[in-house]
């Protein structure tokens, strides 16, 4: 009987903004424009960091990884969301849901670690500038980035496997735009204690620990900056950190607001439309803002992007 229950659900229905046809059209246009901006902005940053020799540093290597991650993260869900806005069929296959969950969870976990790595890089650059080239050599920062991707992937494999092996006894309506893991777990007709425990451990490792690294890194950075005698040096140090700090505040602020606020007891409550829109903000607006923030707040990036978009003619 358990085997029958496990194979009963072959597809899921994604509610999204069902029941709000006018909003679906509006959000289709908005999200399409945002997605194109994400693809363009992050692609330009990646290309600039590859071809501009001034950006061949650990900070911009991490930034290019973050841009590539944002492209991958949004591509896992946005195209299918756009299609669902215009289509009456809002279903996704069981395997399609598992794939979307894995990719989304892997990208989110990796981004948390990368933001922590970027904070550590700024700490070494500002607090130990003379030892910076030794501590953050190419082998080290490549291993740091590779470790982030590998850890995020392993974490996602564990969480996705535990979620999708649960029995789903007929209820296949996901009150979300995509196969978000918490929304899927609500449909399981079995004990999810193991899933909850592993997610708590995962959140400690991939949310709390990187946040602690970021917090203490900036604590030491602030202490070092305040001890600088030169006002110009203080401004330069602040400017190198402001973009990253802004991205961290938006990223973590949205996550905590999304998951810390009280939830409605009714799984199909219309009031949860707000939660879904916040989730969309996290999934679309944040990746769109990242290249804009780094371009506006960083002179090196602005110069590299300007040279890329308006290349100077070579001298005859």
């Amino acid at each position: 009987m358990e085997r029958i229950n496990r194979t009963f659900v072959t597809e899921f229905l994604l509610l999204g903004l069902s029941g709000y046809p006018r909003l679906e059209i509006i959000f289709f246009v908005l999200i399409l424009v945002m997605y194109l901006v994400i693809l363009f902005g992050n692609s330009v940053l990646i290309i600039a960091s590859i071809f501009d020799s001034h950006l061949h540093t650990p900070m911009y290597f991490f930034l290019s990884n973050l841009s590539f991650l944002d492209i991958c993260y949004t591509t896992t869900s946005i195209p299918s969301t756009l299609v669902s806005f215009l289509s009456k069929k809002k279903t996704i296959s069981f395997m399609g849901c598992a794939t979307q969950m894995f990719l989304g969870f892997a990208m989110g976990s990796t981004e948390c670690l990368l933001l922590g790595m970027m904070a550590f890089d700024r700490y070494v650059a500002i607090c130990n500038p003379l030892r910076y080239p030794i501590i953050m050599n190419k082998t080290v920062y490549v291993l740091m980035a590779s470790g982030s991707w590998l850890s995020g992937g392993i974490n996602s494999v564990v969480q996705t496997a535990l979620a999708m092996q649960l029995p789903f006894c007929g209820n296949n309506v996901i009150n979300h735009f995509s196969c978000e893991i918490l929304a899927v777990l609500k449909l399981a007709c079995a004990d999810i204690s193991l899933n909850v425990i592993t997610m708590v451990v995962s959140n400690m490792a991939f949310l709390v620990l990187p946040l602690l690294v970021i917090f203490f890194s900036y604590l030491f950075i602030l202490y070092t900056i305040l001890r600088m005698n030169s006002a110009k040096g203080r401004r330069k140090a602040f400017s190198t950190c402001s973009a990253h700090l802004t991205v961290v505040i938006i990223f973590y602020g949205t996550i905590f607001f999304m998951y810390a606020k009280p939830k409605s007891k009714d799984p199909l409550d219309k009031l949860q439309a707000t939660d879904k829109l916040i989730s969309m903000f996290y999934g679309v607006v944040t990746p769109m803002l990242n290249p804009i923030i780094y371009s506006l707040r960083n002179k090196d990036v602005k110069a590299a992007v300007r040279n890329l978009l308006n290349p100077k003619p070579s001298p005859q």
Side-chain angles (χ1 to χ4, degrees):
M1 187 67 183
E2 184 180 345
R3 184 176 179 83
I4 294 173
N5 285 340
R6 285 177 184 273
T7 57
F8 189 79
V9 172
T10 58
E11 63 181 14
F12 293 98
L13 174 65
L14 298 171
L15 279 186
L17 288 175
S18 296
Y20 302 91
R22 291 184 179 179
L23 278 180
E24 285 187 320
I25 299 300
I26 294 171
F27 276 98
F28 173 83
V29 175
L30 285 176
I31 294 173
L32 177 60
V33 171
M34 289 178 181
Y35 183 52
L36 294 176
V37 172
I38 289 168
L39 294 179
F40 176 76
N42 285 290
S43 297
V44 167
L45 270 182
I46 293 170
I47 296 170
S49 66
I50 292 173
F51 291 103
D52 194 307
S53 58
H54 295 96
L55 302 185
H56 292 175
T57 63
M59 182 174 73
Y60 298 114
F61 176 76
F62 288 127
L63 178 57
S64 63
N65 272 262
L66 189 64
S67 294
F68 178 70
L69 185 147
D70 283 338
I71 291 174
C72 293
Y73 180 78
T74 51
T75 303
T76 62
S77 59
I78 289 181
S80 61
T81 300
L82 291 174
V83 171
S84 72
F85 281 153
L86 300 181
S87 173
K88 292 183 178 179
K89 184 181 179 182
K90 302 180 185 296
T91 57
I92 184 171
S93 68
F94 188 90
M95 285 306 299
C97 184
T99 302
Q100 192 177 77
M101 183 187 297
F102 165 74
L103 292 173
F105 209 92
M107 297 303 108
S109 301
T110 303
E111 182 161 4
C112 292
L113 295 180
L114 282 176
L115 290 173
M117 301 294 183
M118 293 172 76
F120 178 76
D121 171 73
R122 292 299 82 208
Y123 158 73
V124 178
I126 294 173
C127 300
N128 296 282
L130 298 179
R131 298 184 61 197
Y132 180 71
I134 300 172
I135 297 174
M136 295 298 295
N137 61 68
K138 188 173 183 178
T139 302
V140 170
Y141 66 73
V142 169
L143 284 175
M144 289 169 69
S146 302
S148 298
W149 284 95
L150 181 61
S151 300
I154 293 173
N155 180 47
S156 186
V157 167
V158 173
Q159 299 299 334
T160 304
L162 288 175
M164 301 311 286
Q165 59 85 34
L166 290 168
F168 301 97
C169 311
N171 184 11
N172 68 336
V173 180
I174 299 175
N175 192 18
H176 213 276
F177 294 102
S178 62
C179 287
E180 198 262 347
I181 190 166
L182 294 181
V184 173
L185 287 178
K186 290 179 181 179
L187 306 183
C189 54
D191 183 28
I192 60 171
S193 299
L194 180 60
N195 301 79
V196 172
I197 292 170
T198 56
M199 286 199 69
V200 169
V201 174
S202 172
N203 288 340
M204 291 296 292
F206 289 88
L207 279 174
V208 178
L209 286 181
L211 187 59
L212 288 175
V213 171
I214 293 168
F215 175 76
F216 284 107
S217 294
Y218 277 105
L219 201 61
F220 287 117
I221 287 171
L222 182 62
Y223 177 73
T224 302
I225 290 175
L226 293 177
R227 292 180 62 192
M228 291 179 178
N229 295 322
S230 169
K232 184 178 180 181
R234 287 196 295 269
R235 282 196 301 270
K236 184 178 180 181
F238 273 123
S239 67
T240 61
C241 298
S242 59
H244 175 257
L245 196 56
T246 303
V247 169
V248 167
I249 291 171
I250 294 174
F251 180 79
Y252 275 98
T254 309
I255 288 178
F256 285 125
F257 184 82
M258 190 164 51
Y259 291 112
K261 67 190 294 294
K263 303 294 181 181
S264 169
K265 294 181 180 179
D266 182 1
L268 300 180
D269 197 329
K270 291 184 178 181
L271 293 175
Q272 288 197 340
T274 304
D275 295 337
K276 290 185 282 187
L277 292 177
I278 293 170
S279 176
M280 186 182 295
F281 176 89
Y282 166 72
V284 181
V285 179
T286 304
M288 183 188 71
L289 290 179
N290 285 352
I292 297 173
I293 292 169
Y294 278 103
S295 298
L296 292 176
R297 305 287 297 180
N298 192 294
K299 292 180 180 179
D300 292 334
V301 174
K302 280 195 287 188
V305 171
R306 190 162 49 246
N307 292 335
L308 182 66
L309 298 177
N310 299 294
K312 295 179 181 179
S314 57
Q316 298 295 326

